[in-house]
Amino acid sequence: MRYNTLTVIATLLGKSLSTPLKRTQVTGITSDASTFAQSSFDYIIVGGGTAGLVLAARLTENSAVNVGVIEAGETRFDEADVNTPAYLGQALFNPLYDWAYETVSQDTLNGRSVGLNIGKMVGGSSALNFMIWQRGSQGDYDNWSQLGIDGGWDWAGLLPYFEKTENVTPGPLDTPYNFTSSAGTGSGEGQSGPLPISYNNFYSTLEGPYAQALLSLGVPKNADPDNGDTTGLFNSAASVDSETGNRTYSGRNYLLPNVDRSNLAVLVGAQATKIEISQTGGNVTATGVQFTASGTNYTVTAGKEVILSAGSLHTPQLLELSGIGDETRLTALGIPVVVANSDVGENLQDHQTLNSGFLLVDPDVPTVDTLFSNATFAAAQEELYLTNHTGFFTYTPSALSFHPLQQFWTDDELDTALAQLQTEIAQANVSSFINKQFQLQIDGIKQGQVAQMELLFVAGVLGASSTDQENFVDLSNFASRPFSRGSVHINTTDPLAPPEIDTAYLQFSFDKQVLVKGAQLTRNLSQTAPLSSFISSPLSPAADVSTDEDFANFVIENVGTEWHQVGTASLGPLGEGGVVDSDLIVYGTSNLRVVDASVMPMQIGAHIQATVYAIAEKVSVDAVESFLSGLT
């Protein structure tokens, strides 16, 4: 049932005659854990990150709803490493900003572990990521509905919530990409959302040659990638405010404008350790959250719901610590089983990344690295940034392209790779839920209409291939729809210990083949005019890496994360892969909800932050309606 304004007012007035509305005893951003724990909340949100702060802001639009947020990190609103776009990557592995986890040893990577970066601050990973803003293709989300998931979890159901999030400023017409219309002027762009979205006002001298080289290889332009088709080369939007030149993220743009609400409190520096659960007969109810702050343990109660927005790595950890998960695993750790569900923590998917570095002919061509190595150049750009909010300090990677494999694979190559993949899938004995995903992915590959590979140009460096003496750029490639499926589980009852993360990178040889082909493609691009006139030589992989086997070894030694973990508390049918239902309520409970990337059942061929915002916007509507219906 939808509630109009008059209905809400009448409901609240009628309720207030008999029972005074609750008011929290602590409001705003606070580190007062004791008072927070004694306060009265309807909703407790675990995780003040991308999704959690969207929910907090939307829920508290109704003055009857009291919300408390528990966030392990601190506020970083005034920090250049967060706010300044060109400093992308500078905060990685800094414990002030980043959980900086590692995977378990990966057998497929010769025993190597891979670092995983997750935002540990108010705003979460939306304050740490590389600010690329895009939706997936229509087929990405429509695939979800093919897994037995209803409730509007498809393209048509999510599109209004993408628009609700955004406030898009169209890009300039004069760009190196030579489109006939400005980016961000399509019919489906949001114009009044809380989150400013913009396009670069500054392009390096290298984006144009890169784009021309890519187009010369037959890649089409895509002037409107938000329309449900991301394939081709496009000028990517970014979560950057064109008015200030600064990063936009959930902390700054959803929380700060609403931080003075009397029904909202955000506790910082506190880590949730367990969900409090009450069991009456077969009814399992979340009643609150245990957390620790400054070495002291507390419990805070929730009158309506507990919402986990802790992300794809922490959400399954908290579920298992609270007795929701695989019965055998929990029993072995001495954790009483509240809800048995062996799918908790499974189905982990992550985009796989490979960065290739290239030395430039001219050491004086400005790149992001020049901001750190040339004080005169940096000072001039800083003046532009501070006075006009333009220039290189506002730079984000904008040259994105997504590719069906048919663009770069011969029919024989693709047929051989798919035949091998089908054999490996049969041998892997995967669950029926994952097998359904695989068949949808294979169908998409065969149709050649959805992207399996992403290329990204950076005027500078993303990886660790730099030297202090040379000037260089990165051409990165990604496996956009990998088949590898990993897991996240606890192996201890210590709630402060990191979870055990197995990304299972390159579990299937197909994923490695996509990355090999991408690395070979970036090498080819570097040798294609007009980009080739700017490139001196390959740096990583070196020029003597030339055969398929050489490139395969390079992939094994260097593949990493694109920071897009999804799927570990998945939408889906109960007993067939699902951890949450179509309302994102955890199966077996009445009021424990998950709202973060962990509910995404299948990876999308896109950077995921816009989708996480849309998920949170969609669920906030349902949660408010549920609350109001309880008042009648």
Side-chain angles (χ1 to χ4, degrees), residues 128-144:
L128 187 70
N129 64 25
F130 286 13
M131 292 157 282
I132 293 170
W133 185 264
Q134 62 161 148
R135 305 166 188 173
S137 291
Q138 178 173 341
D140 286 318
Y141 308 107
D142 288 350
N143 274 346
W144 298 2

Side-chain angles (χ1 to χ4, degrees), residues 166-222:
E166 304 168 334
N167 185 351
V168 176
T169 298
L173 182 57
D174 182 19
T175 72
Y177 309 111
N178 297 320
F179 290 106
T180 57
S181 60
S182 298
T185 55
S187 60
E189 308 289 355
Q191 299 295 327
S192 58
L195 198 74
I197 301 298
S198 66
Y199 294 82
N200 280 5
N201 63 72
F202 174 90
Y203 299 88
S204 79
T205 57
L206 298 166
E207 261 101 2
Y210 170 79
Q212 293 171 51
L214 193 61
L215 295 171
S216 74
L217 297 182
V219 175
K221 294 181 182 179
N222 186 345

Side-chain angles (χ1 to χ4, degrees), residues 265-489:
V266 178
L267 178 65
V268 296
Q271 186 169 345
T273 56
K274 186 180 180 182
I275 305 151
E276 286 277 291
I277 290 175
S278 171
Q279 290 180 274
T280 304
N283 188 35
V284 175
T285 304
T287 60
V289 176
Q290 294 179 20
F291 65 92
T292 184
S294 300
T296 302
N297 297 323
Y298 301 90
T299 300
V300 60
T301 59
K304 178 67 177 178
E305 283 187 17
V306 173
I307 302 177
L308 292 182
S309 293
S312 293
L313 304 184
H314 286 134
T315 284
Q317 178 187 28
L318 279 167
L319 289 173
E320 291 183 337
L321 287 167
S322 307
I324 300 173
D326 179 73
E327 185 172 9
T328 301
R329 181 183 305 278
L330 299 183
T331 300
L333 290 170
I335 298 174
V337 178
V338 176
V339 176
N341 188 335
S342 59
D343 292 312
V344 171
E346 295 294 312
N347 195 40
L348 173 62
Q349 301 160 58
D350 189 18
H351 288 147
Q352 298 161 26
T353 301
L354 197 68
N355 298 322
S356 298
F358 297 89
L359 295 174
L360 296 177
V361 173
D362 185 352
D364 296 323
V365 170
T367 67
V368 171
D369 307 282
T370 313
L371 297 173
F372 301 93
S373 62
N374 186 321
T376 302
F377 177 79
Q381 293 300 316
E382 183 179 25
E383 180 68 17
L384 285 173
Y385 181 54
L386 295 177
T387 57
N388 301 328
H389 314 301
T390 60
F392 219 142
F393 277 106
T394 67
Y395 174 85
T396 61
S398 62
L400 267 69
S401 59
F402 285 79
H403 310 273
L405 296 181
Q406 284 84 349
Q407 285 185 350
F408 303 114
W409 295 38
T410 67
D411 290 344
D412 286 345
E413 285 177 325
L414 192 53
D415 289 345
T416 300
L418 287 175
Q420 182 179 354
L421 174 63
Q422 292 279 27
T423 298
E424 292 177 8
I425 289 173
Q427 294 171 344
N429 192 30
V430 298
S431 70
S432 62
F433 183 63
I434 291 177
N435 191 61
K436 288 178 183 178
Q437 295 178 35
F438 285 171
Q439 296 314 309
L440 288 169
Q441 289 180 251
I442 290 170
D443 288 346
I445 291 170
K446 290 179 177 179
Q447 292 166 8
Q449 297 175 347
V450 292
Q452 309 297 331
M453 176 196 299
E454 175 191 355
L455 297 178
L456 172 68
F457 176 82
V458 182
V461 171
L462 284 176
S465 57
S466 66
T467 69
D468 294 331
Q469 295 80 31
E470 304 284 358
N471 198 16
F472 53 93
V473 294
D474 265 353
L475 276 63
S476 301
N477 66 284
F478 311 91
S480 297
R481 288 183 175 83
F483 285 83
S484 302
R485 296 296 190 273
S487 63
V488 180
H489 292 295

Side-chain angles (χ1 to χ4, degrees), residues 16 112 195 211 214 247 494 599 607 620:
S16 66
R112 183 167 61 90
L195 198 74
L214 193 61
R247 174 198 295 269
D494 179 0
V599 306
H607 295 248
S620 68

